[in-house]
Amino acid sequence: MGDETNMSTAVLPITGYTDRISARPGERLAVKVSAKGEGAYDADVIRIRHADPNPEGPGVKFEPVAGLGGRYPARRQPARPGSYARVPASPHFAAPRLLASLYVEPWLLRETPSTLMAVDGGWRLEASATKLRLIAASGAEVVLETELRRRRWYRIWCGVDADAKRLLLGCAAATGETIGAATGTGEIAPAQGELTLAAHLSPDGPSGFFNGRLESPALHAVWPEGDAAPPPPAADMQALVAWWDFSRAMESQTILDRGPHALAGQLVNAPTRAVRGARWSGDELVWKHAPEEFAAIHFHEDDLYDCGWDTDFDLVIPEDMRSGVYGLRLRHDGAEDIVPFYVLPPRNRPSARVCFLAPTFTYQAYANHARGNFAGELEARAREWSASPYNPDDYPTYGRSTYNFHPDGSGHAFSSRLRPVLTFRPNYLTFPDPHGSGLRHFSADTHLLDWLEEKGVAYDVITDEDLDNEGVELIRDYATVLTGSHPEYHTSGTWDALEAYTGSGGKLIYLGGNGFYWRIARSPGLPGAIELRRAEGGIRAWAADPGEYYHQLDGACGGLWRRNGRPPQRLCGVGFSAQGLFEGSYYRRTQAAERPELAWVFDGVTEEKLGDYGLSGGGAAGFELDRADRELGTPDNAVVLARSEGHSDSFIVAPEELLSHLATVSGEQPSDLVRGEIVYFERPGGGAVFSVGSITFCGSLSHDGYRNGISRMLENVIRRFSEG
């Protein structure tokens, strides 16, 4: 956080991504690849069954798929992080006498200048830690020595007069106090190119990225007397050449011009909109109610939405390809990368009674999470186990996750899958887990896939994105739906679909912890991206500022689903309660589990300590734990079958449960809320839910050759749920 810079431009030897994360038989994925060096690279397809390289476990299991792939020319395609706005070239930018103005809130200024506004081939307005500068393409310039304070609003104006050979530069606090003005002289050529904001164009691409907020950039046809600032755009519409009012079309990637020439522009790399602007009063917290108070855009030097790589080849999914999790394996000069993708069953023709719902929105929220923990022990383990050697710590050029900070200290509100995602790879290690493998997300979820294969359970695969796109009809015909180990991030669409599914006879098996926690937004105008506002409450990697809790993409309040009226307990019977180190413990059955009508759940299960083993933290109940709570929506008929025990002092209660350091919302002692619970309940109409309340649960399935209490219990539930 703070003054971290995008210093490293290291790139992977070979990597890629696809335009879609999933496809049905007969559909195609556009494959985009970048490779260092010359010659050709090889591509083939594998079915991914188990992606845990831990030698103490079943091992990596990839199954080759014949007839797909080929050999293709290697070429390097760059990732270009950094957000900015661009407006196509116009003759109005070439006027011999032109005055520009805008509001500026710097969040990070260095000695090297950042561009605020520029017209390619004409002039550039830039700011650094100690000065403002207006420089013309001819080299003529004017400098204003001033130190702009972080997170304070200023109004800056500048002008070029080719006839008088004059340049003007001025700055005032947004409250009106003039800070200074300066003039210069020199030859000024008419501008010929496009206008940009928050960066300028160079032969090597956009550069000079600005970290901070801009508002109301405008071009004026009339100069003020002396060095005074021009009137605000809304106060003198007749004198405007252009005024890009960021309060308009805030949910889009378009900036609209309210001037007479309609010079609309486009945003690049999805900077953050719907943020507090220079006119925010604090009286309104919902941007839709007073958009003029949120008419700013926050630009960052490391924003990355779409790498925009050219397509190397199309991968057509064969008509007879089995639904499942696959990987496109790319190999070149001894280096390898595997890009996962999902194959759905044919439309309206499920091929199994069981469906695995891949939590790809969560994978995306964590995409390229740089934890700063790779060097040393974890890197050595990756080498020893032949695990993925590539970590986001070393490759910032591919963008960061919603768990990282921008260099200016603000949090990442967007994450895109249209870029190489190093964390979304098989054999990727997250933690140097002393008791297990240290896997999370994609690789951890293959613990379940491998177990399904071993147990001979036929299954289809769909993704969160598919469910959000198609709704409950996508899963209605399945007897049971299984989640992954950490389905944390959901849209209203995925939530509604699962609730409708269990309400109409479907049976949900929630196999994770800290699930259905954060609300996210998507938009057809920004395909492949999710938006997250970390509003008040919850365990948060960063906190959204007051007034910035509402998504720009859909206008809905972000933050915890619990604070949006949908606690996870309502859907799953359990919700997030506590978090600790990446370590696991065990469950112990409750007295309620002895009911005769529930004997089927534990048929053949003899363990007193249930799950005191596993590849994830050494136990089935660990890291992040969920518990039942009637007040938060756990149904009255829900039965707590087992409860976790034996957690270390590293575990703490979730902050949304605390009223003070001693008092909790439920009235229980904080230490008593450190528990995970296995819960079962039935819903009217024949639906049912079975939840395990722990992220590390699936890591225990393969223990002792898949013959253990956790494995037997889950098999009992799946067999029961998929009958009929």
Side-chain angles (χ1 to χ4, degrees):
M1 180 177 151
D3 200 22
E4 175 196 353
T5 65
N6 220 0
M7 293 174 61
S8 174
T9 57
V11 297
L12 295 174
I14 185 166
T15 190
Y17 63 97
T18 54
D19 65 330
R20 301 165 58 186
I21 201 168
S22 63
R24 290 182 167 91
E27 297 177 345
R28 64 185 60 222
L29 301 171
V31 180
K32 296 141 189 305
V33 178
S34 177
K36 294 197 295 186
E38 300 178 347
Y41 67 87
D42 294 299
D44 67 339
V45 173
I46 55 174
R47 184 179 176 93
I48 298 173
R49 173 170 163 171
H50 195 251
D52 185 344
N54 188 341
E56 298 298 319
V60 174
K61 298 180 183 179
F62 296 158
E63 299 172 352
V65 178
L68 295 177
R71 191 168 177 81
Y72 304 94
R75 58 174 171 173
R76 183 166 175 173
Q77 302 200 70
R80 297 188 184 277
S83 60
Y84 63 104
R86 61 193 309 170
V87 181
S90 167
H92 300 288
F93 301 158
R97 200 166 189 247
L98 197 64
L99 185 70
S101 69
L102 74 168
Y103 288 89
V104 178
E105 185 185 54
W107 282 53
L108 175 62
L109 291 176
R110 305 185 180 95
E111 289 302 323
T112 54
S114 298
T115 298
L116 305 177
M117 181 187 291
V119 175
D120 191 32
W123 51 269
R124 181 167 75 242
L125 173 64
E126 57 188 32
S128 65
T130 56
K131 66 182 68 173
L132 292 169
R133 183 172 77 152
L134 173 64
I135 180 171
S138 64
E141 65 175 50
V142 58
V143 174
L144 182 61
E145 302 284 347
T146 183
E147 182 178 347
L148 302 183
R149 302 291 297 277
R150 182 176 187 268
R151 299 192 66 172
R152 293 192 182 180
W153 280 102
Y154 301 89
R155 191 168 188 232
I156 299 173
W157 62 97
C158 65
V160 292
D161 186 339
D163 294 335
K165 299 181 181 180
R166 181 172 180 250
L167 294 87
L168 167 66
L169 178 60
C171 178
T175 51
E177 301 87 355
T178 298
I179 291 174
T183 59
T185 59
E187 296 290 338
I188 301 169
Q192 301 295 326
E194 60 187 292
L195 181 142
T196 56
L197 300 165
H200 65 271
L201 303 180
S202 74
D204 296 325
S207 50
F209 293 103
F210 173 67
N211 293 285
R213 299 180 178 184
L214 302 180
E215 181 177 333
S216 290
L219 300 177
H220 309 260
V222 178
W223 276 46
E225 293 185 7
D227 301 329
D236 191 7
M237 296 288 289
Q238 297 299 317
L240 289 179
V241 175
W243 171 28
W244 293 279
D245 182 358
F246 297 162
S247 71
R248 306 289 183 94
M250 204 178 295
E251 70 284 356
S252 77
Q253 296 300 299
T254 300
I255 55 171
L256 298 179
D257 172 22
R258 291 182 60 184
H261 309 296
L263 303 175
Q266 292 295 315
L267 298 174
V268 178
N269 278 331
T272 308
R273 306 188 73 168
V275 294
R276 302 183 319 198
R279 291 171 286 173
W280 187 62
S281 64
D283 295 333
E284 185 53 69
L285 301 179
V286 184
W287 66 262
K288 281 194 169 183
H289 295 171
E292 69 280 357
E293 296 193 19
F294 299 85
I297 298 179
H298 197 144
F299 298 90
H300 309 91
E301 67 182 51
D302 62 341
D303 283 329
L304 181 60
Y305 163 52
D306 186 348
C307 282
W309 291 354
D310 292 333
T311 298
D312 278 35
F313 62 95
D314 286 335
L315 178 65
V316 180
I317 307 301
E319 294 291 346
D320 60 350
M321 197 168 189
R322 176 186 165 197
S323 178
V325 183
Y326 292 85
L328 181 67
R329 185 164 53 186
L330 309 170
R331 290 183 279 194
H332 180 60
D333 284 350
E336 177 180 292
D337 190 25
I338 299 176
V339 181
F341 65 94
Y342 298 85
V343 174
L344 279 60
R347 188 178 298 276
N348 300 322
R349 285 194 287 134
S351 60
R353 295 188 58 75
V354 174
C355 176
F356 170 59
L357 174 60
T360 51
F361 286 154
T362 299
Y363 302 164
Q364 194 167 326
Y366 284 87
N368 290 342
H369 183 190
R371 296 174 178 270
N373 69 338
F374 187 60
E377 182 183 356
L378 189 58
E379 188 174 16
R381 173 175 284 190
R383 284 195 301 269
E384 180 185 352
W385 290 1
S386 297
S388 173
Y390 307 120
N391 190 280
D393 286 1
D394 302 324
Y395 298 94
T397 193
Y398 300 119
R400 296 305 200 191
S401 78
T402 64
Y403 282 77
N404 289 121
F405 290 92
H406 293 288
D408 67 9
S410 58
H412 283 257
F414 288 94
S415 181
S416 167
R417 56 172 174 74
L418 299 174
R419 54 181 172 137
V421 178
L422 283 64
T423 52
F424 181 41
R425 294 293 190 263
N427 310 334
Y428 180 84
L429 305 182
T430 300
F431 294 121
D433 177 4
H435 307 293
S437 307
L439 305 187
R440 294 195 70 193
H441 310 305
F442 175 77
S443 291
D445 286 342
T446 66
H447 290 147
L448 173 62
L449 300 177
D450 178 60
W451 179 86
L452 290 169
E453 298 281 354
E454 287 289 330
K455 293 299 179 179
V457 177
Y459 65 96
D460 285 343
V461 173
I462 64 170
T463 75
D464 286 343
E465 190 168 324
D466 300 309
L467 186 59
D468 190 47
N469 290 340
E470 301 185 30
V472 69
E473 293 303 320
L474 183 61
I475 56 175
R476 193 182 298 281
D477 292 334
Y478 290 104
T480 185
V481 171
L482 315 178
T483 77
S485 59
H486 192 31
E488 182 178 7
Y489 291 86
H490 282 271
T491 63
S492 57
T494 55
W495 181 289
D496 289 345
L498 289 170
E499 192 165 52
Y501 170 74
T502 59
S504 58
K507 297 176 174 63
L508 176 67
I509 301 179
Y510 167 38
L511 291 173
N514 186 214
F516 305 92
Y517 194 60
W518 291 105
R519 182 178 193 165
I520 58 172
R522 298 174 67 219
S523 170
L526 202 65
I530 60 171
E531 181 189 8
L532 169 69
R533 298 292 174 110
R534 295 195 184 276
E536 59 186 16
I539 287 182
R540 297 176 288 173
W542 52 271
D545 284 338
E548 298 180 6
Y549 296 164
Y550 287 77
H551 299 132
Q552 74 178 60
L553 294 182
D554 64 2
C557 188
L560 300 184
W561 272 113
R562 172 173 173 166
R563 293 187 180 273
N564 278 272
R566 298 187 186 187
Q569 286 88 345
R570 181 175 124 186
L571 178 65
C572 304
V574 296
F576 188 41
S577 189
Q579 180 187 53
L581 295 176
F582 195 75
E583 57 188 32
S585 185
Y586 58 89
Y587 304 92
R588 195 181 298 275
R589 277 180 268 184
T590 65
Q591 286 188 340
E594 303 303 320
R595 297 181 188 176
E597 67 270 22
L598 297 173
W600 58 271
V601 176
F602 295 104
D603 180 35
V605 178
T606 60
E607 297 169 6
E608 181 180 347
K609 291 183 175 181
L610 182 59
D612 196 15
Y613 44 77
L615 294 174
S616 293
F623 188 45
E624 291 181 329
L625 305 170
D626 293 7
R627 76 174 204 287
D629 191 319
R630 309 286 181 191
E631 300 256 335
L632 289 174
T634 301
D636 291 339
N637 66 332
V639 180
V640 177
L641 300 171
R643 183 171 292 119
S644 69
E645 298 178 353
H647 299 293
S648 74
D649 291 341
S650 75
F651 282 77
I652 59 171
V653 65
E656 61 269 22
E657 297 290 350
L658 294 173
L659 297 175
S660 71
H661 69 294
L662 296 175
T664 66
V665 175
S666 69
E668 300 175 77
Q669 291 296 312
S671 59
D672 292 337
L673 297 180
V674 178
R675 67 181 190 263
E677 293 177 329
I678 297 176
V679 168
Y680 169 75
F681 64 92
E682 296 175 354
R683 292 200 62 189
V689 176
F690 179 84
S691 298
V692 304
S694 165
I695 275 182
T696 61
F697 180 91
C698 289
S700 300
L701 291 170
S702 66
H703 177 72
D704 193 21
Y706 311 88
R707 296 181 297 272
N708 61 76
I710 292 293
S711 173
R712 182 60 185 263
M713 178 180 62
L714 182 58
E715 185 174 2
N716 291 341
V717 174
I718 289 181
R719 301 292 185 196
R720 176 87 166 212
F721 276 14
S722 58
E723 287 175 356

